[in-house]
């Protein structure tokens, strides 16, 4: 009884018992019914879920970008000549300007009909169309009609430039206004003619 070391042993034993008695209550307060996993297990599970979500999110690759890094999205095998990034943007500017004044034919049916009537213009074809059978006859008709054509890498961007919300497989840009269409001002017409001429010249140089 007079041993001074007896007091620390009693104190340590009392503390151990107190901790053992309070721990289940604390855990039950955090996880009532014991249905949820322990914090460490839940942390591991959350970590696994986050990792899976991260893996499911597609990363933006160079092939899916046209932000000036010189890379284009994958296109079909017949997409030649194919515009590079810089030329792609210039072509879409011409399409956009022509579309505002209704100087375009949109879609395979309209383009084919115009080409068979020997309508002159610039044919822009989306290179990421699938199946490619939809557009395989377009270049042949263009060559027979003497119409220059060029492939771009995105049907979505071609549709947006053509003032439509739908992806577009091809467009025929007309050099002059159609009947009933809104004519460009003299300044706009001069600017469009210059842009159109440069694009056509560049396409011919790619042959």
């Amino acid at each position: 009884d007079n041993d001074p070391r007896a007091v620390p042993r009693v104190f340590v034993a009392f503390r151990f018992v107190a901790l053992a008695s309070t721990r289940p209550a604390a855990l039950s307060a955090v996880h009532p019914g014991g249905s949820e996993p322990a914090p460490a297990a839940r942390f591991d599970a959350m970590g696994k879920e986050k990792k899976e979500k991260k893996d499911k999110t597609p990363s933006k690759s160079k092939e899916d970008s046209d932000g000036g890094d010189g890379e284009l999205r994958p296109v079909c095998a017949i997409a030649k000549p194919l515009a590079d990034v810089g030329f792609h943007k210039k072509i879409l500017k011409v399409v956009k300007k022509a579309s505002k004044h209704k100087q375009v034919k949109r879609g395979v049916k309209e383009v084919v009909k115009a080409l068979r009537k020997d309508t002159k213009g610039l044919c822009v074809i989306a290179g990421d169309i699938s199946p490619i059978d939809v557009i395989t006859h377009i270049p042949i008709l263009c060559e027979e009609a003497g119409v220059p054509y060029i492939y771009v890498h995105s049907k979505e961007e071609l549709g947006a430039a053509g003032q439509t919300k739908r992806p577009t497989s091809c467009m025929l840009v007309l050099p002059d206004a159609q009947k009933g269409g809104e004519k460009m001002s003299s300044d706009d017409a001069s600017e469009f003619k210059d842009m159109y001429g440069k694009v056509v010249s560049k396409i011919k140089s790619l042959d």
Side-chain angles (χ1 to χ4, degrees):
D1 294 336
N2 295 329
D3 187 357
R5 291 176 296 176
V7 175
R9 284 199 298 269
V10 172
F11 177 78
V12 170
F14 174 80
R15 187 176 180 184
F16 177 80
V17 172
L19 289 173
S21 62
T22 57
R23 187 173 181 181
L27 290 176
S28 63
V30 178
H31 308 293
S35 59
E36 293 188 12
R42 189 174 72 251
F43 178 79
D44 291 340
M46 290 175 63
K48 185 176 181 181
E49 290 176 2
K50 288 182 179 179
K51 185 176 181 181
E52 289 176 352
K53 289 181 180 179
K54 186 176 180 180
D55 292 339
K56 289 179 181 179
T57 304
S59 58
K60 186 177 182 182
S61 63
K62 288 185 177 181
E63 291 183 345
D64 295 332
S65 172
D66 64 343
D69 55 7
E71 299 289 341
L72 297 176
R73 296 177 187 175
V75 294
C76 59
I78 66 169
K80 295 176 184 179
L82 175 66
D84 58 19
V85 173
F87 193 35
H88 167 87
K89 292 180 179 180
K90 291 179 181 179
I91 293 168
L92 293 185
K93 285 182 180 179
V94 172
V95 173
K96 187 174 182 179
K97 197 169 189 64
S99 298
K100 288 181 178 179
H101 298 276
K102 298 181 180 180
Q103 290 183 209
V104 293
K105 297 290 185 180
R106 299 181 183 87
V108 174
K109 289 183 179 180
E110 286 192 18
V111 171
V112 168
K113 185 177 180 181
L115 290 174
R116 286 177 175 169
K117 289 183 177 181
D118 291 328
T119 304
K120 300 303 179 183
L122 162 64
C123 189
V124 183
I125 310 170
D128 60 342
I129 293 295
S130 179
I132 62 174
D133 295 345
V134 175
I135 57 171
T136 50
H137 60 297
I138 299 294
I140 298 173
L141 293 175
C142 287
E143 291 175 2
E144 291 177 350
V147 172
Y149 63 92
I150 186 74
Y151 286 87
V152 293
H153 70 85
S154 173
K155 58 183 181 289
E156 288 83 10
E157 291 184 26
L158 180 58
Q163 308 294 307
T164 178
K165 295 181 180 179
R166 289 194 209 174
T168 303
S169 56
C170 59
M171 285 193 184
L172 184 65
V173 180
L174 308 177
D176 301 311
Q178 300 183 80
K179 292 181 180 180
E182 180 184 354
K183 291 185 178 181
M184 299 183 185
S185 64
S186 58
D187 291 339
D188 286 342
S190 177
E191 182 183 4
F192 175 77
K193 185 177 180 180
D194 182 61
M195 293 168 58
Y196 180 91
K198 288 181 179 178
V199 168
V200 171
S201 297
K202 178 70 179 284
I203 293 172
K204 289 181 178 179
S205 69
L206 297 174
D207 294 339

